[in-house]
Amino acid sequence: MKKEKVELTAEQKARKKEKTRAAIYTHRGFYVMFLPVFIFALIFCYAPMVGVLLAFTDYNGIKAITPEIFVGLENFQKMFSMSGFWTAFWNTLELSVVKLVLTTGFAVIISVLLNEIVSIRFKKVVQTIIYLPHFMSWVVVASLFSLILAPTSNGLVNTFLVQIGVIDSSNMIYFLGSNKWWKPVYYMINLWKETGWQTVIFMATLSGLNTDMYEAAGIDGANRFQKMIYITFPSLTNTILTVIILNLARIMNLFESVFVLQNDAVLSTSNVLETYIYYQSFNSGSIPNYGYTAAVGLFKSIVGAVLVLSCNQLSKKVRDGRGIV
């Protein structure tokens, strides 16, 4: 049966508005606190969206010399015909997805292991140590690992490999300059830097679990490993899905971590869409076409939105119709 729409009288509408005003006035402090965030979002998140229109123009940034010329979908046709674009696109997907899976997986495992530590003080010390790298700048991280992985006698890794006889001193490995080694090294650095921070989210979930379930499982004869498999891991399912969906929103925005670690020798392996846009805008050797780079940015945003919505639909099927979008 269809629900009949109830029309409110003028007096009821006035009373409802009055209640709304009273609620806003009562919680005015929260609205004042929210106002700077709202203004920031308008200026830096929504206002720049007007620039999407540049994707359909031929524009080099100097209106006085060469005004915007509407070219329709010409920039997108050019983009899809460029081999450099597709290389950057597939590199972005591969690096982002593998990094997301590895970081989330390791964060879950470490969180579960930390949850099994009995000593609260020791647990806090370990957790602090593993998430401290998150607060380091990517420039500092890149400099640190460039020294550690340097193909010289000063490089810690190469020196160790020479000492154990794996390589010869005259044939040291340039890890950050090798197409074979760059991606594994990139994943390893990201694991070291970001895994610990994600454990904060999972540890918060684990701290809220009902201990009665563990006690009941212990009475039924379950050991610690069985409790982890049948109670701890299933309890993290919703949090894992939420973290993955939220990270998928940024999956195409891969720039700083790649830019500071790449060099000309590994561009075919490390060039991603953000760095592709950067090089097309500032290092192309000719007058930049901001219309073309805007088209690449728009396509990147569309792909990111599709990935988030697809994962959210999958989440609804797994979680009985519940998503986060």
Side-chain angles (χ1 to χ4, degrees), residues 65-215:
I65 299 176
T66 55
E68 297 176 12
I69 302 173
F70 181 77
V71 294
L73 299 177
E74 185 178 311
N75 288 325
F76 294 92
Q77 293 173 350
K78 175 185 175 182
M79 176 179 69
F80 292 137
S81 65
M82 298 281 282
S83 60
F85 163 78
W86 287 112
T87 299
F89 176 77
W90 293 117
N91 282 342
T92 304
L93 279 182
E94 181 182 350
L95 290 173
S96 299
V97 172
V98 174
K99 183 185 76 166
L100 175 59
V101 172
L102 288 177
T103 306
T104 305
F106 272 78
V108 171
I109 294 172
I110 292 174
S111 299
V112 172
L113 294 177
L114 284 173
N115 191 57
E116 295 299 314
I117 297 177
V118 178
S119 173
I120 301 297
R121 180 175 295 180
F122 182 66
K123 181 192 295 187
K124 289 182 178 179
V125 170
V126 173
Q127 191 174 4
T128 302
I129 291 173
I130 62 176
Y131 75 60
L132 275 178
H134 170 79
F135 299 100
M136 294 178 65
S137 164
W138 268 110
V139 176
V140 176
V141 172
S143 302
L144 176 64
F145 278 92
S146 295
L147 292 173
I148 294 174
L149 301 171
T152 64
S153 57
N154 295 324
L156 182 62
V157 175
N158 275 291
T159 301
F160 175 74
L161 293 177
V162 169
Q163 289 179 350
I164 64 175
V166 175
I167 59 174
D168 188 75
S169 58
S170 60
N171 193 27
M172 292 185 177
I173 303 172
Y174 185 15
F175 290 98
L176 292 176
S178 168
N179 286 312
K180 175 183 176 182
W181 288 104
W182 191 89
K183 285 182 180 179
V185 168
Y186 176 77
Y187 298 140
M188 179 203 66
I189 295 174
N190 273 273
L191 283 175
W192 175 80
K193 188 176 188 299
E194 301 296 344
T195 299
W197 179 248
Q198 285 201 22
T199 61
V200 176
I201 302 172
F202 298 115
M203 287 296 293
T205 302
L206 292 176
S207 64
L209 291 183
N210 190 351
T211 56
D212 292 343
M213 293 188 295
Y214 290 99
E215 293 174 3

Side-chain angles (χ1 to χ4, degrees), residues 284-310:
S284 61
S286 59
I287 299 175
N289 183 353
Y290 293 115
Y292 173 71
T293 53
V296 177
L298 178 58
F299 178 76
K300 173 179 68 69
S301 299
I302 292 173
V303 172
V306 170
L307 288 173
V308 171
L309 294 176
S310 301

Side-chain angles (χ1 to χ4, degrees), residues 255 259 273-284 293:
F255 178 72
F259 185 71
L273 285 178
E274 291 281 353
T275 57
Y276 176 77
I277 292 172
Y278 174 83
Y279 291 130
Q280 287 290 320
S281 299
F282 306 110
N283 200 25
S284 61
T293 53

Side-chain angles (χ1 to χ4, degrees), residues 12-24:
Q12 289 174 325
K13 289 181 180 178
R15 195 179 303 159
K16 189 176 180 180
K17 288 181 180 178
E18 188 63 32
K19 287 183 179 179
T20 304
R21 291 194 195 98
I24 293 174

